[in-house]
Amino acid sequence: MLTARSVDLPEWVICAGCNAPAYGNRFRRDLLVCPECGHHERMTSDERIATLLDEGSAEDLGFPVATGDPLGFVDSKPYPARLSEAQAATGMPEAVACVRGTIGGNPVVAAVMDFRFLGGSLGAAVGELITRTAELARAERTPLLVVTASGGARMQEGALALMQMAKTSQAFRELDEAGVLTVSLVTDPTYGGVAASFATQADVIIAEPGARMGFAGPRVIEQTIRQSLPDGFQTAEFLAERGLVDAVVPRHGFRSTLSRLLSAGARRAAPPHDGGGRDAEPPGTPLVTDPRDLPAGETWEAVRLARALDRPTALDYIQRITDDFVELHGDRLGGDCRAITGGLARLDGAPLVIIGHRKGHTAKELANADFGMPAPAGYRKAARLMRLAAKLGVPVVTLVDTPGAYPGIEAEAEGQAGAIADSLRLMTGLPVPVVSVVTGEGGSGGALALAVANKVLAFSNAVYSVISPEGCAAILWRDPDAAPRAARELRVDARSLLELGIVDAVVPEPGGGAQRDPGAAATALKAAIRASLDELSPLDAARLVEERRVRFRRFQALGEETS
């Protein structure tokens, strides 16, 4: 294979993925991505920095590097000789370059590994450089980006190299405690001690197509336990299917993706939205807080409208009301439920985490989203995003629209009840504003798991209940045709929910339902969320938690009083 470099590039190169020839200049313009098969050729740290950071913004952090030979290690040659050869071949003092700069104008501190230097191995010097970079990010409260490319811990430094896993992990924990966003960009390959420390400890993990990541490499697995490996094992796509990375992003999309992440995760003050200025968005319909201001309609009609296929979904609303939305995937435990969507975004410039039940408008879309019924991985993904919001100190907004949690063998085997319970407990203690809006169906514990909030709102044709009307009718009347009667008895409609105090306010819908005018519904939703966040934002963490707990503590049998 001809190695493609940004300098002294041959006129023609041969792709390592498909062996097709590619014109050198085109290969460079395509950021070393094969135009035939999409294979991503490895980059040097300098090339990676030039590709990711804004032009002219990169500044070397200038940390001193002191690589020693603690063991006096010799294989076919002494370790110091190997170091000297690597330094001469790469022009680098060690296997990581540490810089500060901007991406899309957003400040970032970055540690970029280079596989050419002893396989990007994690030795004491590399661990020290990454730790110092993380400490600088913490001191300056600037997001940290790590770009990984490594075969694992450096064998020539023995247990001292092993300790770097703990040291860098400690630095990342301190970034968590400081509320500083961390992002990991996984490139090929990322194995061993790097994969089992900072590469997978970031708040957001994105990977290049085909990049391999794992603790034990394929050769070790095959030789140790004699197990054959499936096609695509440990590739970015394999990991994404199992919820272990947030996204697989082609190289051309890295800078824009990182820019949106850094923008959404930055603690910048929101611009004023007091209604002034010719570009100000008109206010939405005022929230209804008095049940008498809502018509006493037919409850079953609300059920029908809440379930309508053409009703806007959470993703429809997110795309209309937020900016810079970056969807994040996976529970980091082995699953990525399709019935939950969520990520970082901005609402009128203010950062937040937004999460919703995913549905669809066609039978195919509904089936792909498991009809909006989350599995345990969905609730764990939502919990992961809520913890990220708590770390960054940004609000959580949830859009609730589900028939209920997924009722299946696998869901039960994977701990459905425990996943819902954990979400309920987590939300009661989130130290940030939480606003939940029932936009369609609020089905049982599957809905409540995303609705333990400071402010709980509902669209005027939304429904919320302990059980579906059909389920209630089948159990109590043994007659599925009694579902309309069950809906009335359960009082699932918005007017009843407001009377009972289940919701704090109702968002009026356009005539005929939100599906008749999705734009107007989105405008009303955005205004409702914004008004709720404006009310909650001045409160400190302790007050937010206290008020949320008081809100849910008050639910009791009519006539009872809490002592």
Side-chain angles (χ1 to χ4, degrees):
M1 184 191 83
L2 294 175
T3 302
R5 299 276 67 92
S6 59
V7 293
D8 195 26
L9 193 69
E11 185 176 0
W12 290 92
V13 296
I14 303 299
C15 172
C18 66
N19 291 321
Y23 185 53
N25 286 336
R26 180 182 178 184
F27 201 50
R28 182 191 296 112
R29 289 194 303 270
D30 289 342
L31 305 182
L32 311 188
V33 177
C34 175
E36 297 296 326
C37 72
H39 172 76
H40 285 53
E41 176 68 38
R42 289 175 186 163
M43 281 185 157
T44 69
S45 55
D46 284 344
E47 290 167 338
R48 187 72 66 180
I49 290 167
T51 300
L52 294 176
L53 270 61
D54 296 337
E55 186 174 359
S57 73
E59 174 191 345
D60 189 274
L61 294 179
F63 294 135
V65 180
T67 300
D69 182 18
L71 307 183
F73 194 95
V74 179
D75 46 66
S76 61
K77 61 181 68 174
Y79 177 43
R82 289 199 178 277
L83 286 171
S84 296
E85 290 175 359
Q87 290 165 345
T90 63
M92 300 176 64
E94 256 298 347
V96 62
C98 305
V99 298
R100 63 154 50 93
T102 60
I103 299 177
N106 300 287
V108 67
V109 176
V112 182
M113 303 189 78
D114 196 315
F115 193 77
R116 297 175 304 155
F117 197 108
L118 297 183
S121 51
L122 175 62
V126 173
E128 182 67 18
L129 289 168
I130 289 171
T131 299
R132 290 191 184 188
T133 304
E135 290 171 344
L136 178 67
R138 176 166 57 91
E140 297 184 349
R141 301 188 67 78
T142 301
L144 172 69
L145 168 67
V146 290
V147 182
T148 62
S150 176
R154 191 168 294 179
M155 293 179 291
Q156 294 90 340
E157 295 185 17
L160 187 63
L162 185 67
M163 295 302 107
Q164 305 311 308
M165 295 171 61
K167 184 169 77 176
T168 54
S169 297
Q170 179 174 289
F172 268 62
R173 174 56 187 258
E174 291 171 351
L175 286 168
D176 290 339
E177 293 167 352
V180 176
L181 179 71
T182 55
V183 181
S184 173
L185 193 167
V186 175
T187 74
D188 187 64
T190 296
Y191 277 111
V194 170
S197 58
F198 56 89
T200 52
Q201 289 171 344
D203 299 314
V204 181
I205 305 174
I206 54 179
E208 284 190 333
R212 294 164 296 164
M213 181 173 72
F215 183 57
R219 187 183 306 172
V220 172
I221 295 172
E222 291 173 336
Q223 292 180 354
T224 303
I225 61 174
R226 308 298 180 187
Q227 189 173 26
S228 59
L229 305 178
D231 292 340
F233 180 66
Q234 293 183 326
T235 62
E237 294 76 11
F238 177 94
L239 299 170
E241 288 177 4
R242 289 155 180 80
L244 300 174
V245 301
D246 286 288
V248 179
V249 180
R251 192 170 286 166
H252 277 283
F254 269 147
R255 182 178 287 181
S256 63
T257 299
L258 289 171
S259 176
R260 287 158 54 217
L261 272 172
L262 296 173
S263 174
R267 295 174 181 240
R268 292 205 299 266
H273 50 260
D274 57 6
R278 63 183 181 183
D279 294 328
E281 189 174 311
T285 306
L287 289 169
V288 177
T289 56
D290 187 338
R292 293 170 296 183
D293 294 334
L294 292 171
E298 170 53 48
T299 305
W300 186 247
E301 177 65 8
V303 173
R304 189 188 67 79
L305 290 172
R307 294 173 174 175
L309 280 180
D310 54 352
R311 191 172 181 86
T313 67
L315 270 179
D316 293 329
Y317 285 126
I318 289 171
Q319 290 165 358
R320 285 179 179 269
I321 71 175
T322 69
D323 302 309
D324 296 324
F325 175 64
V326 182
E327 185 174 8
L328 304 180
H329 291 271
D331 64 357
R332 299 279 180 86
L333 295 173
D336 182 32
C337 174
R338 298 169 295 186
I340 294 284
T341 184
L344 287 162
R346 284 185 173 271
L347 183 76
D348 287 336
L352 70 146
V353 164
I354 189 163
I355 304 165
H357 293 97
R358 186 196 297 267
K359 278 189 172 179
H361 297 296
T362 65
K364 182 178 180 180
E365 289 174 352
L366 283 166
N368 286 339
D370 292 326
F371 296 87
M373 296 185 292
Y379 294 113
R380 290 171 183 143
K381 173 168 63 175
R384 181 196 142 214
L385 296 179
M386 292 179 201
R387 291 188 179 97
L388 175 58
K391 169 183 171 174
L392 298 177
V394 302
V396 171
V397 172
T398 65
L399 305 179
V400 175
D401 186 12
T402 178
Y406 188 80
I409 295 173
E410 288 186 2
E412 293 301 317
E414 292 168 4
Q416 183 73 288
I420 292 172
D422 285 345
S423 184
L424 296 173
R425 180 169 57 180
L426 171 66
M427 294 191 79
T428 64
L430 286 174
V432 296
V434 183
V435 176
S436 296
V437 186
V438 184
T439 61
E441 288 183 277
S444 191
L448 181 61
L450 295 189
V452 182
N454 295 93
K455 294 289 183 182
V456 181
L457 314 177
F459 268 116
S460 54
N461 287 308
V463 295
Y464 198 4
S465 177
V466 68
I467 190 173
S468 70
E470 292 87 348
C472 178
I475 293 171
L476 296 184
W477 288 285
R478 301 182 184 276
D479 179 8
D481 292 336
R485 176 186 174 186
R488 289 191 298 274
E489 296 295 335
L490 288 167
R491 301 184 66 188
V492 302
D493 59 291
R495 190 175 194 267
S496 296
L497 296 170
L498 190 56
E499 288 175 344
L500 294 168
I502 305 299
V503 302
D504 301 297
V506 172
V507 184
E509 296 183 31
Q515 50 269 49
R516 289 290 183 89
D517 192 344
T523 297
L525 174 64
K526 182 175 182 179
I529 293 171
R530 194 165 68 185
S532 298
L533 291 178
D534 285 347
E535 181 180 341
L536 297 171
S537 293
L539 306 182
D540 62 24
R543 182 75 177 277
L544 287 165
V545 171
E546 179 188 7
E547 290 196 357
R548 193 179 313 132
R549 291 178 178 176
V550 167
R551 183 191 188 282
F552 285 89
R553 177 64 181 86
R554 73 181 185 222
F555 293 117
Q556 57 195 316
L558 293 179
E560 289 186 0
E561 294 184 3
T562 56
S563 57

